[in-house]
Amino acid sequence: AQKITQTQPGMFVQEKEAVTLDCTYDTSDPSYGLFWYKQPSSGEMIFLIYQGSYDQQNATEGRYSLNFQKARKSANLVISASQLGDSAMYFCAMREGWGGSEKLVFGKGTKLTVNP
Amino acid sequence: DVKVTQSSRYLVKRTGEKVFLECVQDMDHENMFWYRQDPGLGLRLIYFSYDVKMKEKGDIPEGYSVSREKKERFSLILESASTNQTSMYLCASSFRLKPEQFFGPGTRLTVL
């Protein structure tokens, strides 16, 4: 069974508008972490934001925020005020457990296109 | 700034050749990872290492091996390259007990 599900293969948004990229996860481990990475056409993976399963507050980093709904097992990425440079692939990932096993499991990604 | 470098951005090899992909990080990270990325499949973990000379299989280790003789260097080896190993290969590193992984620029390998 997929541990990370990104149901949107592609998303379009107008410049300056907000967009939400969906991510649901599946784990029985009480300790886990959720990540979002951005991959522009150049290919490098850029870390955007992290949410730990015990974090009380939703994570925010500049224009990026993570809408963490633990009961629903969702960790959606919200990008506010989209810019043309936000056009890229976006990957949600999860780390299970803690202490020596820092493997990440990635979703299949969402391609975001920001239109001028 | 953390820097993860990979030996080649593009590589073309022939079926049956032995292929070495090198990854070097300069931040004294304990953990290092090799992923492959294919369209529609996301990133899949091939192998990882949490210390020198230590290695663990990821989700798709078949056809690959790794070597970590020094802390900063993690090599991925394709013993006998096959066309189904044509892919983008990404290396990453991280501190133990810290969540963020830092990625290299990737190597796009084509096996003819």
Side-chain angles (χ1 to χ4, degrees):
Chain A
Q2 272 192 341
K3 291 199 168 185
I4 294 285
T5 303
Q6 295 181 253
T7 56
Q8 307 153 315
M11 286 284 285
F12 294 86
V13 66
Q14 286 298 122
E15 196 177 4
K16 298 180 186 175
E17 292 186 353
V19 63
T20 297
L21 306 183
D22 294 342
C23 174
T24 57
Y25 59 92
D26 181 27
T27 181
S28 56
D29 197 319
S31 175
Y32 54 90
L34 296 154
F35 303 74
W36 278 93
Y37 281 86
K38 171 184 178 181
Q39 187 180 42
S41 56
S42 57
E44 60 182 306
M45 294 283 284
I46 302 167
F47 168 76
L48 295 178
I49 197 166
Y50 168 77
Q51 178 87 41
S53 58
Y54 295 120
D55 294 344
Q56 296 296 317
Q57 307 268 5
N58 283 350
T60 59
E61 287 287 347
R63 294 187 298 111
Y64 304 107
S65 60
L66 200 151
N67 184 1
F68 182 45
Q69 298 190 43
K70 203 167 180 176
R72 293 187 177 185
K73 292 190 175 179
S74 77
N76 299 338
L77 177 71
V78 180
I79 305 174
S80 63
S82 298
Q83 301 172 356
L84 295 178
D86 294 334
S87 293
M89 284 291 292
Y90 288 81
F91 291 93
C92 180
M94 177 175 67
R95 172 196 52 75
E96 291 181 292
W98 192 248
S101 178
E102 282 80 31
K103 295 189 295 179
L104 295 184
V105 176
F106 285 81
K108 295 183 179 181
T110 295
K111 184 174 182 179
L112 176 66
T113 302
V114 180
N115 294 317
Chain B
D1 271 357
V2 176
K3 195 153 188 188
V4 181
T5 57
Q6 295 183 229
S7 48
S8 307
R9 289 301 304 270
Y10 300 94
L11 207 54
V12 180
K13 295 291 181 181
R14 297 216 172 266
T15 303
E17 279 193 78
K18 191 168 186 176
V19 181
F20 292 87
L21 302 183
E22 302 283 339
C23 176
V24 177
Q25 50 93 5
D26 66 358
M27 282 302 292
D28 204 33
H29 287 165
E30 293 89 0
N31 299 330
M32 295 189 76
F33 308 83
W34 274 107
Y35 297 89
R36 68 176 278 176
Q37 181 180 14
D38 301 287
L41 296 179
L43 277 75
R44 293 178 291 167
L45 181 64
I46 305 171
Y47 267 99
F48 70 103
S49 168
Y50 50 87
D51 205 346
V52 176
K53 297 192 187 294
M54 305 300 286
K55 61 185 179 184
E56 285 200 26
K57 293 180 181 179
D59 300 317
I60 51 163
E62 296 79 19
Y64 303 94
S65 62
V66 290
S67 172
R68 192 158 181 211
E69 296 297 318
K70 294 185 177 181
K71 190 174 185 179
E72 67 271 18
R73 188 179 296 267
F74 192 35
S75 302
L76 179 70
I77 303 153
L78 288 65
E79 294 289 342
S80 178
S82 63
T83 55
N84 63 13
Q85 291 178 311
T86 291
S87 186
M88 169 73 97
Y89 290 88
L90 290 160
C91 174
S93 68
S94 70
F95 285 115
R96 189 168 301 157
L97 303 183
K98 287 226 170 179
E100 181 185 349
Q101 291 187 12
F102 296 88
F103 283 80
T107 295
R108 189 168 292 282
L109 172 68
T110 302
V111 182
L112 302 174

